[in-house]
Amino acid sequence: MNDRLKDDTYQSEQRRILLRAGSMHWAQWLVVSLAVVITVFAWYIAKEQLTRNNEAYFHDESDQIVTMIKERMKLYENALWAGVALIDTNGGDVELEEWRTYAASLNIDKTYPGINGIGVIHNIQPAQLSAYLEKERKRRPDFHLHPAHSETEYWPITYIEPALPNKQAVGLDMAFETNRYTAIKLARDTGTSQVTGPIILVQDSKKTPGFLLYAPFYKGGTKPESIEERRKHIVGVTYAPFIMHKLVQGVLTHETRLIDLKISDRGQALYDDASYEDAALRDDEPLHKEAVDVEMYGRHWVFETQSNLRFRSAVSNSQPYLVLFGGIAIDAMILALFVLLSRGNRAALAYADEMTRSLKIETRKLQASNVELDNFAYVASHDLKSPLRGIDQLATWIGEDLGDTLDSETQNHLRLMRSRVHRMEKLLDDLLAYSRVGRHDDQIATVNVRELVLDAFEMFEPSALIRIRAAEDLPVLHTRRAPLELIFHNLIDNAIKHHDQPQGVIDVSARPIANGYEFAVSDDGPGIPPQHQQRVFAMFQTLKPRDEVEGSGIGLALVKKAVEAMGGIVTLESDGKRGCTVRFTWPTTDQEEKTR
């Protein structure tokens, strides 16, 4: 009566909880609000991450442009120093034909895109001028220095190859103009390659910005240690003229470039994509821009880069907005789910009430059916056993009547008939026991589990020398004896029948757990393969051939049903090679009462 009152109180409380759940709870509003906050935060993080990735991509592209131009300038410098080596090898001078052959070997048009040519400039002091002009005019009568200037020395271009496109530069004196003259003196004094400030090449009809690159050479083929010695022993420089936009276009392909470039030297423009390329690609509001100061052979070039429309298209990514809209959609679905759940609770409660009423009716019918089934099992067992015993007796009489006249095959058939009759009787007994599991007809009593185990073992007469070891600390329980005895009886029987060695041991132990005990029955017989370990708890299952099995094949199924009827759990452990352990939990008296 008290248990029923407790159940009614519990159900009433659960009903009130469901009724309160019929409207949106503050916790649900909190979940929706947090989901919105998380969505906005995820959108912000995705947007920032995309921005950082795009910025890193832009910087990589910018660095690549600077690196490519520096590497190309290094290639041109090496060509000039190779020319210096040629001159040093020839004793400090080179003839026109020798220089022409060297320049042709460079294959300038293909190997050095952006360079206008490669030439030699000599340093001529006033006292040397007449002899220099006389020598050069022997091969080129029209050779002359130009333009006139007021400096005290001369730096004329003696050779420049290819000669035809650069014929206006032949004889041009570097001392006439500040940027050319300053850089060539710096190359002389440092013994290093130097670049001029922005200039207009005389051979450039379009008058676009350019520059010259110098590499000095000295008497004796070595660089003197001091500035004074270098000025004293300077012979000249090898040089290369550049038109800046040709250099950039030779190094960089604008058709696929994602970044616009501008190069300046001390505020003077050397190159600007805006002057040479399609203005339609220029981004008036670039995503990224930067300026980098690069030391370039005695000068400082400022590389200004900015992303163009091609870059904007390449990095266009809708991921942050997908995150935002997707998150909003999920938030809306969560809200809709909460609303539907709230509305559905009352409908579910009404449906549950109806189902409860139906369940009570069906339960009463099931209980009546179970009683009828038990009666049927008893009657069937009783009625079937009588003819089975008759068959067994008949087989016995046949054997006795025929006596010694029986051949071995007939004897085997009679033994097989009696064996199967006994197996059928065992099956009927087990089926009857299986149908009664969980009825709790017996009263709770004090059970000494160790004595129960030993008594169960004594019921068997194993042909092998199997012994049992029941732990001394097996508990004394207040429980129902019949199901516990049934469990140990079947586990011990199973261990004995399936043992494959002449001797063996069955161990029974227990350990306390929350709300009860866990018992373990272990043997050292053959293991059970992992793929069969769950199958052994099913009805009529055995790992032996049918004719070799003495039992019904439902022993472990009986164990499983009896354990679960008391609210316990049964498991099997085996490595599949040797030994098997069956564990099951058993409740204390208080917990046992709750399973009724």
Side-chain angles (χ1 to χ4, degrees), residues 347-409:
L349 184 59
Y351 180 72
D353 289 341
E354 179 62 29
M355 291 301 295
T356 300
R357 287 191 293 270
S358 299
L359 185 59
K360 288 180 179 179
I361 296 172
E362 294 299 325
T363 300
R364 287 194 291 269
K365 291 181 180 179
L366 183 60
Q367 289 172 344
S369 177
N370 286 338
V371 173
E372 294 175 359
L373 182 61
D374 289 345
N375 294 332
F376 172 78
Y378 176 77
V379 172
S381 175
H382 182 271
D383 290 347
L384 288 174
K385 280 185 176 181
S386 295
L388 286 174
R389 291 192 187 102
I391 294 172
D392 182 53
Q393 186 63 51
L394 181 60
T396 302
W397 288 342
I398 292 173
E400 291 175 352
D401 291 343
L402 294 179
D404 295 335
T405 63
L406 282 174
D407 57 30
S408 60
E409 183 177 1

Side-chain angles (χ1 to χ4, degrees), residues 174-443:
M174 299 296 101
F176 89 96
E177 188 267 327
T178 301
N179 285 345
R180 291 176 172 84
Y181 190 35
T182 300
I184 206 168
K185 289 190 295 182
L186 192 58
R188 174 198 64 191
D189 294 347
T190 62
T192 61
S193 300
Q194 296 292 318
V195 163
T196 68
I199 61 172
I200 302 298
L201 300 182
V202 295
Q203 59 267 49
D204 180 15
S205 60
K206 296 183 178 180
K207 306 301 180 184
T208 59
F211 63 92
L212 306 179
L213 176 62
Y214 301 127
F217 57 93
Y218 303 88
K219 292 178 182 178
T222 59
K223 182 177 72 174
E225 295 295 327
S226 66
I227 293 179
E228 290 76 12
E229 290 295 312
R230 292 172 197 151
R231 291 175 177 175
K232 180 179 179 181
H233 295 289
I234 186 70
V235 176
V237 299
T238 58
Y239 94 105
F242 295 85
I243 297 174
M244 193 65 188
H245 78 88
K246 290 184 178 180
L247 170 65
V248 174
Q249 291 174 347
V251 176
L252 308 172
T253 303
H254 193 272
E255 284 72 15
T256 58
R257 188 147 42 94
L258 307 179
I259 293 177
D260 287 340
L261 173 65
K262 179 180 179 180
I263 304 175
S264 59
D265 181 338
R266 298 182 183 178
Q268 289 184 274
L270 278 170
Y271 176 82
D272 190 348
D273 272 336
S275 302
Y276 302 102
E277 305 299 341
D278 186 359
L281 291 175
R282 191 169 184 83
D283 194 341
D284 295 331
E285 297 181 0
L287 297 176
H288 305 284
K289 60 169 60 178
E290 71 174 0
V292 180
D293 190 306
V294 178
E295 196 280 329
M296 190 71 69
Y297 300 105
R299 306 292 296 185
H300 284 269
W301 288 0
V302 176
F303 287 74
E304 297 177 65
T305 54
Q306 69 173 44
S307 58
N308 58 25
L309 294 178
R310 195 181 283 123
F311 181 91
R312 184 184 290 272
S313 176
V315 301
S316 178
N317 194 321
S318 59
Q319 180 182 358
Y321 297 101
L322 291 177
V323 170
L324 178 62
F325 296 135
I328 292 175
I330 293 173
D331 297 343
M333 286 189 288
I334 292 174
L335 178 60
L337 178 62
F338 285 156
V339 171
L340 290 175
L341 287 176
S342 299
R343 293 178 179 177
N345 277 332
R346 291 185 180 273
L349 184 59
Y351 180 72
D353 289 341
E354 179 62 29
M355 291 301 295
T356 300
R357 287 191 293 270
S358 299
L359 185 59
K360 288 180 179 179
I361 296 172
E362 294 299 325
T363 300
R364 287 194 291 269
K365 291 181 180 179
L366 183 60
Q367 289 172 344
S369 177
N370 286 338
V371 173
E372 294 175 359
L373 182 61
D374 289 345
N375 294 332
F376 172 78
Y378 176 77
V379 172
S381 175
H382 182 271
D383 290 347
L384 288 174
K385 280 185 176 181
S386 295
L388 286 174
R389 291 192 187 102
I391 294 172
D392 182 53
Q393 186 63 51
L394 181 60
T396 302
W397 288 342
I398 292 173
E400 291 175 352
D401 291 343
L402 294 179
D404 295 335
T405 63
L406 282 174
D407 57 30
S408 60
E409 183 177 1
T410 305
Q411 289 177 355
N412 287 336
H413 288 166
L414 288 175
R415 280 196 298 270
L416 181 60
M417 179 187 296
R418 297 190 66 194
S419 172
R420 291 184 175 176
V421 166
H422 294 160
R423 188 165 180 268
M424 283 295 296
E425 288 179 334
K426 180 65 169 61
L427 175 60
L428 289 171
D429 289 338
D430 287 346
L431 283 172
L432 185 59
Y434 190 84
S435 69
R436 290 175 176 174
V437 170
R439 291 177 58 179
H440 301 323
D441 293 336
D442 54 326
Q443 298 296 317

Side-chain angles (χ1 to χ4, degrees), residues 48-67:
E48 288 299 307
Q49 183 65 43
L50 181 62
T51 300
R52 286 193 295 270
N53 291 343
N54 291 347
E55 187 173 0
Y57 182 36
F58 171 78
H59 289 315
D60 289 343
E61 290 288 312
S62 296
D63 292 344
Q64 185 179 15
I65 288 175
V66 174
T67 300

Side-chain angles (χ1 to χ4, degrees), residues 17-88:
I17 293 174
L18 287 173
L19 287 172
R20 287 198 300 270
S23 59
M24 285 282 287
H25 193 264
W26 66 267
Q28 293 171 316
W29 284 114
L30 178 61
V31 170
V32 173
S33 300
L34 287 176
V36 172
V37 171
I38 292 173
T39 296
V40 174
F41 181 71
W43 166 77
Y44 175 78
I45 292 298
K47 182 174 178 293
E48 288 299 307
Q49 183 65 43
L50 181 62
T51 300
R52 286 193 295 270
N53 291 343
N54 291 347
E55 187 173 0
Y57 182 36
F58 171 78
H59 289 315
D60 289 343
E61 290 288 312
S62 296
D63 292 344
Q64 185 179 15
I65 288 175
V66 174
T67 300
M68 291 177 67
I69 291 180
K70 290 177 68 175
E71 289 176 349
R72 185 56 60 90
M73 289 297 294
K74 184 65 176 178
L75 180 66
Y76 298 153
E77 180 193 14
N78 292 339
L80 293 183
W81 286 117
V84 169
L86 172 65
I87 294 171
D88 292 339

Side-chain angles (χ1 to χ4, degrees), residues 411-484:
Q411 289 177 355
N412 287 336
H413 288 166
L414 288 175
R415 280 196 298 270
L416 181 60
M417 179 187 296
R418 297 190 66 194
S419 172
R420 291 184 175 176
V421 166
H422 294 160
R423 188 165 180 268
M424 283 295 296
E425 288 179 334
K426 180 65 169 61
L427 175 60
L428 289 171
D429 289 338
D430 287 346
L431 283 172
L432 185 59
Y434 190 84
S435 69
R436 290 175 176 174
V437 170
R439 291 177 58 179
H440 301 323
D441 293 336
D442 54 326
Q443 298 296 317
I444 293 176
T446 300
V447 180
N448 187 315
V449 178
R450 190 170 189 275
E451 292 179 358
L452 184 147
V453 169
L454 294 176
D455 290 344
F457 182 74
E458 290 297 327
M459 296 175 64
F460 300 99
E461 295 180 1
S463 58
L465 297 178
I466 306 295
R467 58 193 178 91
I468 194 161
R469 292 190 301 210
E472 296 290 341
D473 60 351
L474 288 176
V476 176
L477 300 178
H478 295 285
T479 187
R480 294 177 174 81
R481 180 184 182 88
L484 190 59

